[in-house]
Amino acid sequence: MGKKHFALIGHPVSHSVSAFVNNQLFKFSDIDADYDVVDIPPMDLSNAYTLLRRFDGFNVTIPYKQSIISYLDSLSIKASTYNSVNTVKNCENFSKGYTTDPEGLIRALELSEIPLCGKVVVIGAGGAARAAAYEAAIAGCDTIVSVRTESLGHAASLIGDVISSVTAPQISSCTLDALIDNDQSIDLLINATPVGMYPNVDKCVVPESLVKRCKSVFDMIYNPLETKLIKIAKKNGIKCSNGLLMLINQAICAHNIWTGSKFDLSDIRQLIVDTEQKIIDNFKTV
Ligand code: NAP
């Protein structure tokens, strides 16, 4: 069997650590493969798709998680339900899309000992928020999708999708302003927006007064490792986690789909440490 080829597509993707994580995973599973990062400018997806068919598989990130769907031959049940694809497996004349973000998130919460229960606030209504809102609703949480006023339409469409596919979900939406004005406690706050991500590291999507009302906080961002939101949570003694464990666990699921690989826990522990260092080093060079 010849060398296999994989990639991440998105825009912009130049600061991604996905190539590092995925190439390490191929080393651990002793599979002769490479993993590249392909930046596809907006509007160019249809031209690029012919090239993408030549890969054995690829990952998909912002802004193509929905738009890739129309090019694929088939979808996993989860990808179809969540209307989001982050992993594609290509066979000779057939391509299938999957989403491993939900499993990555659930595994990251478990490893961080953050319970997915009670009142869960998901900030954002994009692809990652979709995974979080579905998983929270399926877990029976009182799920609130909170967005800026101009995104209420996106939140309504996400809630509509959850209601039509999850049995009796408890899910609603509100603006970030309404969430901030309210004084109720929150069991888990999930940031599924890019607010606070490099280079805008001084931004936090919610004020400290709201973070103080949370029992736990999960920030999907991993660049920087310690966002302003995570700093505020730590300062107030609130259990919290960044998005690195989610990134690594969604990649593990993708490898399982592509090659059936399983990994040793010791290798994954080392990968977490090495990826943290890689992110820190990337920061020093920018
Ligand atoms: P996306 O589809 O572009 O969605 C982003 C969401 O954030 C949208 O709802 C957007 O609102 C909202 N938003 C953007 N700027 C905002 C602001 N200033 N204030 C309030 N809301 C704002 O992106 P995504 O794929 O869901 O990713 C979201 C974040 O999660 C990114 O930081 C990404 O890196 C991270 N992520 C991490 C992992 C992981 O493995 N750790 C996996 C997936 C995603 P509009 O709809 O109005 O634009």
Side-chain angles (χ1 to χ4, degrees):
M1 232 188 331
K3 189 168 191 152
K4 288 181 177 290
H5 303 286
F6 297 87
L8 168 72
I9 65 156
H11 182 80
V13 281
S14 55
H15 284 99
S16 172
V17 287
S18 286
F20 177 78
V21 168
N22 284 281
N23 282 314
Q24 288 298 104
L25 288 175
F26 283 124
K27 261 190 215 159
F28 294 151
S29 54
D30 210 11
I31 287 175
D32 186 17
D34 55 27
Y35 187 102
D36 286 325
V37 171
V38 183
D39 194 312
I40 300 177
M43 316 306 291
D44 276 4
L45 188 57
S46 69
N47 293 336
Y49 192 66
T50 319
L51 170 82
L52 296 176
R53 285 290 292 131
R54 294 192 202 137
F55 286 102
D56 294 281
F58 57 93
N59 287 128
V60 184
T61 188
I62 301 174
Y64 302 121
K65 285 186 182 180
Q66 270 88 45
S67 49
I68 193 71
I69 290 175
S70 60
Y71 297 92
L72 306 175
D73 298 312
S74 151
L75 293 180
S76 70
I77 293 173
K78 214 156 218 187
S80 163
T81 310
Y82 290 27
N83 192 32
S84 180
V85 163
N86 78 336
T87 301
V88 174
K89 182 175 183 172
N90 284 331
C91 298
E92 209 156 308
N93 289 313
F94 192 75
S95 59
K96 183 166 177 176
Y98 301 80
T99 179
T100 66
D101 282 339
E103 221 172 313
L105 170 65
I106 294 294
R107 192 75 191 111
L109 289 173
E110 283 168 2
L111 290 168
S112 312
E113 298 181 346
I114 293 178
L116 183 62
C117 64
K119 189 188 281 283
V120 174
V121 172
V122 178
I123 307 180
R130 210 156 245 279
Y134 262 100
E135 292 305 317
I138 291 167
C141 304
D142 175 4
T143 309
I144 298 165
V145 177
S146 189
V147 292
R148 47 190 175 177
T149 310
E150 59 266 40
S151 308
L152 273 174
H154 293 156
S157 135
L158 167 53
I159 288 172
D161 289 348
V162 172
I163 289 172
S164 65
S165 55
V166 176
T167 311
Q170 258 191 288
I171 187 161
S172 58
S173 66
C174 71
T175 61
L176 277 167
D177 288 341
L179 186 75
I180 292 160
D181 288 346
N182 185 308
D183 61 0
Q184 286 180 358
S185 64
I186 295 165
D187 292 290
L188 170 59
L189 179 81
I190 300 178
N191 177 32
T193 78
V195 181
M197 190 163 76
Y198 177 84
N200 301 309
V201 295
D202 293 330
K203 297 255 183 316
C204 183
V205 75
V206 288
E208 183 161 0
S209 57
L210 192 145
V211 181
K212 282 181 174 171
R213 289 195 265 126
C214 301
K215 284 199 188 125
S216 48
V217 168
F218 187 88
D219 195 340
M220 290 199 187
I221 296 171
Y222 50 83
N223 183 17
L225 293 166
E226 206 168 77
T227 57
K228 188 163 182 198
L229 174 60
I230 293 286
K231 279 186 183 145
I232 295 172
K234 281 187 177 169
K235 186 179 120 192
N236 286 282
I238 294 160
K239 190 173 263 196
C240 57
S241 172
N242 64 24
L244 184 63
L245 288 176
M246 178 176 172
L247 174 79
I248 289 180
N249 281 285
Q250 61 80 22
I252 290 172
C253 297
H255 281 243
N256 190 247
I257 290 165
W258 290 328
T259 61
S261 300
K262 303 270 186 234
F263 298 93
D264 288 345
L265 204 56
S266 58
D267 283 341
I268 298 307
R269 285 205 184 106
Q270 190 57 49
L271 178 61
I272 293 167
V273 173
D274 292 346
T275 310
E276 281 180 341
Q277 193 55 51
K278 180 91 188 155
I279 292 168
I280 292 165
D281 291 346
N282 281 355
F283 251 107
K284 285 185 194 149
T285 57
V286 287

